[in-house]
Structures are given as C-alpha cells and as structure tokens.
Amino acid sequence: MSKVFIAFQDNEESRPVVEAILADNPQATAVHSPGLVKLDAPGRMVIRRATIEDIVGRPFDLQQIQVNLVTLSGNVDEDDDELSLSWLG
C-alpha cells in the first residue's frame, strides 16, 4: 500500500495541526527535521477542523494550514470540515 504524506514548517502555528493529525490518524508517524515536520500514513490521512479547534480552543479555518504547508502527496479531497489525502485503487 502506498503512503500519503504532508509536511509543514515546524513552528508554533503548525504544532496543533500536527497534534490533531496524529490524534485522528493512529497509523500516522511524524518525522522532525530542522524546521520541518513530515507526517506519513499508509493509504489515507485525514485532517479534521474540529480536532484542531479542540486543541487550540477557538474556531479554526482549515485553509489556515496552507500558510505553513510545505508539500503533500496523495489525492486531495477537502471541504470546510476536513482535508483528506488518499491513494485510490
């Protein structure tokens, strides 16, 4: 099975997003490099707005993740509540 991944700048703004991804995707792993954090998961990964809001304690616009997004791999499906990466087939 192919892995999907997403990478963010490693900073205060992206840390709650990374925490939410790891909470919602138990199969995901995070690899930290200087200034970067890359998250991998087999087949599918989901980023949920509600989980991020629970962590930060305020409303969160999922589009905000784009500010610190470095790269991603997988088919993207997104709406106001979640963004998912997956490999079809």
Side-chain angles (χ1 to χ4, degrees), residues 47-86:
I47 303 169
R48 292 187 177 94
R49 177 186 50 81
T51 306
I52 299 169
E53 288 178 342
D54 287 345
I55 293 168
V56 298
R58 60 175 167 74
F60 186 87
D61 181 352
L62 206 50
Q63 294 296 313
Q64 288 177 255
I65 70 168
Q66 307 249 351
V67 173
N68 295 297
L69 178 65
V70 176
T71 189
L72 56 81
S73 176
N75 296 308
V76 177
D77 185 20
E78 84 182 292
D79 59 30
D80 290 340
D81 294 321
E82 68 180 43
L83 180 147
S84 65
L85 300 172
S86 62

Side-chain angles (χ1 to χ4, degrees), residues 30-49:
V31 176
H32 292 265
S33 302
L36 182 80
V37 59
K38 180 181 175 207
L39 297 112
D40 295 294
R44 185 171 192 275
M45 181 186 305
V46 65
I47 303 169
R48 292 187 177 94
R49 177 186 50 81

